[in-house]
């Protein structure tokens, strides 16, 4: 059977993807944007973006030489949790989205294999060296906002992206128009001025300045100015999406994996976790990425920035922990408490 888009759309919907579209597998038009971003040093500590894998992003066929199309999907993760949480919305659920999307994409592929007959494929979710937002834009899933997120007109931007590179040719979709208009809310709201002009009238995210990089990606002791600028953020940052008007009426998902289990944790409770408790609670969630010491380091920073004397005893305990980053941040936080009390 010839591969038809309707069968893909139906399979994507059955697999729980609210958004889907097709991009051609070929040279990615935005790759020069990526190259410029990397050569300007904006990847900061994220070496996986700058090492030998950087060049693979130029064309998805570097991952699957037989690829002719890219099936792009988006999965909603928005729920009715609190805004301004110390934990980013994408990490509230009891399960890691990589596992959820991969499983669902495999289900979708299995369905398409029986409909279309055999084809070669490769599933990608986040970690593969592909320019997911660019491909999704080409596949018509949304436009790139000034906050650099992919935004869909009815769905907003609270969704994950995934792709299946396949060896079959499908008719590609068209990118939608940019609907940021004259809005600048994300740029004005970013507490660290991480959204910077690209010199050509557009905007890009300087990864060295983003709270999300510091609290999720960067290991070890953070520079003092980054500690103070991280505010109450313990894992990631959502500010430039929370202020986006396109997220005002963003749909919510009922998917169990993304329900807000960790939306509003008590910092004192997090600070008191043993390594075993951390493992039991977060092993299957995105928070696992920081590991135990990374989470405690971030909790210590947030406690220092809260300048709440009730955190003193917790910080004193963290200042005794063997890991250098936790100790250093806890000592810094204790000094910060003294500044106010
Ligand atoms: C590295 C990374 C980060 C870094 C850097 C983010 C960044 N903006 O570059 C950090 C740690 C900061 C980060 C943060 C977040 N991330 Co992230 N991240 C990635 C990752 C692994 C690579 C992104 C990358 O290549 N960055 C380099 C820049 C240059 O690329 P880019 O932002 O994708 O931009 C491309 C296009 O947008 C386009 N483009 C951008 N600007 C312009 C301008 C013009 C004029 C043109 C023509 C094109 C263009 O070209 C670029 C190159 O292809 C992707 C997964 C993947 N494999 O793609 C997830 C991904 C982008 N992240 C995601 C998410 C959910 C987040 C967070 C919300 C998590 C959080 N709460 O902390 C935040 C959002 C912060 C933000 N405003 O972007 C989702 C985004 C979903 C969406 N709707 O957009 C992705 C796709 C993961 C996924 N599979 O769902 N992330
Ligand atoms: S995630 Fe936060 S720190 Fe990063 S660009 Fe957006 S508002 Fe700024
Ligand atoms: S806040 Fe405004 S400028 Fe920023 S991404 Fe949303 S619509 Fe675009």
């Amino acid at each position: 059977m010839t591969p038809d888009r309707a069968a893909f759309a139906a399979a994507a919907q059955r697999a729980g993807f609210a958004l889907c579209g097709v991009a051609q597998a070929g040279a990615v038009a935005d790759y020069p944007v990526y190259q410029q971003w990397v050569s300007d040093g904006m990847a900061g500590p994220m070496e996986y973006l700058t090492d030998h894998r950087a060049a693979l992003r130029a064309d998805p066929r570097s991952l699957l030489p037989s690829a002719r199309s890219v099936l792009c999907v988006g999965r909603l993760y928005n729920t009715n949790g609190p805004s301004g949480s110390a934990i980013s919305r994408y990490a509230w659920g009891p399960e890691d989205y990589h596992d959820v999307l991969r499983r669902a994409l495999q289900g979708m592929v299995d369905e398409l294999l029986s409909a279309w007959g055999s084809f070669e494929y490769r599933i990608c979710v986040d970690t593969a060296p592909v320019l997911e937002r660019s491909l999704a834009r080409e596949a018509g899933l949304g436009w790139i906002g000034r906050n650099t997120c992919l935004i869909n007109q009815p769905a907003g931007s609270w969704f994950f992206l995934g792709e299946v590179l396949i060896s079959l040719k499908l008719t590609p979709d068209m990118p939608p128009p940019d609907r940021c208009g004259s809005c600048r809310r994300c740029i004005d709201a970013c507490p660290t001025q991480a959204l910077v002009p690209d010199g050509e009238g557009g905007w890009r995210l300087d990864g060295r300045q983003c709270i999300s990089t510091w609290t999720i990606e960067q290991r070890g002791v953070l520079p003092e100015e980054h500690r103070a600028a991280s505010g109450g953020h313990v894992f990631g940052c959502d500010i430039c999406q929370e202020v986006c008007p396109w997220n005002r009426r963003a749909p919510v998902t009922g998917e169990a994996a993304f329900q807000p289990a960790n939306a509003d944790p008590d910092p004192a409770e997090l600070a008191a976790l043993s390594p075993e408790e951390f493992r039991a609670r977060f092993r299957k969630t995105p928070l696992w990425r920081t590991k135990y010491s990374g989470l405690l380091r971030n909790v210590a920073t947030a406690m220092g920035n809260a300048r709440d004397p009730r955190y003193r005893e917790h910080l004193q305990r963290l200042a005794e922990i063997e890991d250098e980053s936790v100790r250093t941040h806890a000592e810094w936080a204790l000094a910060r408490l003294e500044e106010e009390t």
Side-chain angles (χ1 to χ4, degrees):
M1 224 178 115
T2 42
D4 59 303
R5 205 188 172 289
F8 162 46
Q13 198 185 18
R14 269 193 289 276
F17 296 107
L19 308 175
C20 69
V22 180
Q24 198 173 320
V28 182
D30 289 348
Y31 183 64
V33 173
Y34 182 79
Q35 276 182 307
Q36 191 61 49
W37 186 82
V38 167
S39 65
D40 289 342
M42 293 196 172
M46 296 174 278
E47 282 168 17
Y48 61 91
L49 297 171
T50 58
D51 64 14
H52 63 280
R53 286 167 285 189
L56 302 177
R57 291 174 164 82
D59 188 327
R61 287 174 299 188
S62 53
L63 299 186
L64 182 73
S66 63
R68 298 191 67 199
S69 308
V70 185
L71 307 180
C72 295
V73 296
R75 196 174 195 89
L76 304 180
Y77 64 83
N78 188 32
T79 54
N80 287 320
S83 58
S85 167
I87 310 280
S88 271
R89 193 170 291 251
Y90 87 94
W92 288 353
E95 264 196 87
D96 190 319
Y97 66 96
H98 297 95
D99 304 332
V100 176
L101 267 78
R102 200 164 276 282
R103 236 180 8 242
L105 283 170
Q106 188 61 60
M108 185 183 92
V109 168
D110 291 344
E111 196 179 322
L112 294 176
L113 280 167
S114 46
W116 294 343
S118 107
F119 55 82
E120 287 188 47
Y121 68 93
R122 175 156 173 180
I123 291 174
C124 305
V125 180
D126 187 47
T127 53
V130 286
L131 296 173
E132 294 194 304
R133 283 168 166 165
S134 289
L135 290 169
R137 183 175 72 84
E138 288 178 19
L141 266 58
W143 75 95
I144 309 292
R146 293 200 172 99
N147 61 9
T148 76
C149 292
L150 189 83
I151 307 177
N152 177 277
Q153 187 169 11
S157 65
W158 306 118
F159 55 86
F160 299 115
L161 295 175
E163 305 77 33
V164 187
L165 319 181
I166 61 166
S167 57
L168 302 177
K169 175 83 186 146
L170 275 85
T171 311
D173 285 288
M174 292 285 286
D178 182 323
R179 295 186 190 278
C180 281
S182 59
C183 176
R184 294 279 188 286
R185 280 168 193 260
C186 51
I187 290 149
D188 296 340
C190 173
T192 58
Q193 287 83 49
L195 299 170
V196 295
D198 68 0
E200 291 170 26
W203 295 82
R204 50 192 188 157
L205 183 149
D206 186 342
R208 295 166 296 193
Q209 288 305 318
C210 178
I211 294 169
S212 196
T213 309
W214 302 338
T215 55
I216 301 174
E217 301 288 326
Q218 203 161 333
R219 305 279 161 260
V221 177
L222 298 179
E224 283 201 35
E225 66 271 22
H226 293 179
R227 296 174 214 163
S230 294
H233 297 272
V234 169
F235 187 86
C237 169
D238 283 336
I239 292 173
C240 56
Q241 292 186 89
E242 280 175 343
V243 299
C244 180
W246 296 103
N247 279 334
R248 234 178 254 151
R249 279 181 294 278
V252 292
T253 176
E255 185 158 10
F258 303 141
Q259 294 311 301
N262 296 310
D264 204 8
D266 176 6
E269 196 190 313
L270 293 179
L273 289 175
S274 68
E276 295 70 32
E277 287 164 338
F278 171 75
R279 187 185 176 85
R281 181 159 166 191
F282 295 121
R283 175 74 184 92
K284 292 200 166 73
T285 79
L287 275 93
W288 184 247
R289 185 159 172 81
T290 62
K291 299 290 179 274
Y292 180 60
S293 55
L295 186 78
L296 293 191
R297 176 199 70 177
N298 294 345
V299 168
T301 316
M303 285 179 158
N305 287 329
R307 295 182 168 177
D308 184 337
R310 280 176 307 171
Y311 291 144
R312 183 172 289 113
E313 60 177 295
H314 299 284
L315 285 166
Q316 281 164 343
R317 225 183 34 78
L318 292 179
E320 304 287 311
I321 278 186
E322 206 179 315
D323 181 273
E324 192 205 350
S325 68
V326 181
R327 249 187 307 118
T328 309
H329 281 238
E331 281 160 9
W332 170 86
L334 282 165
R336 210 156 158 80
L337 292 192
E338 298 314 319
E339 283 170 23
E340 283 298 284
T341 51

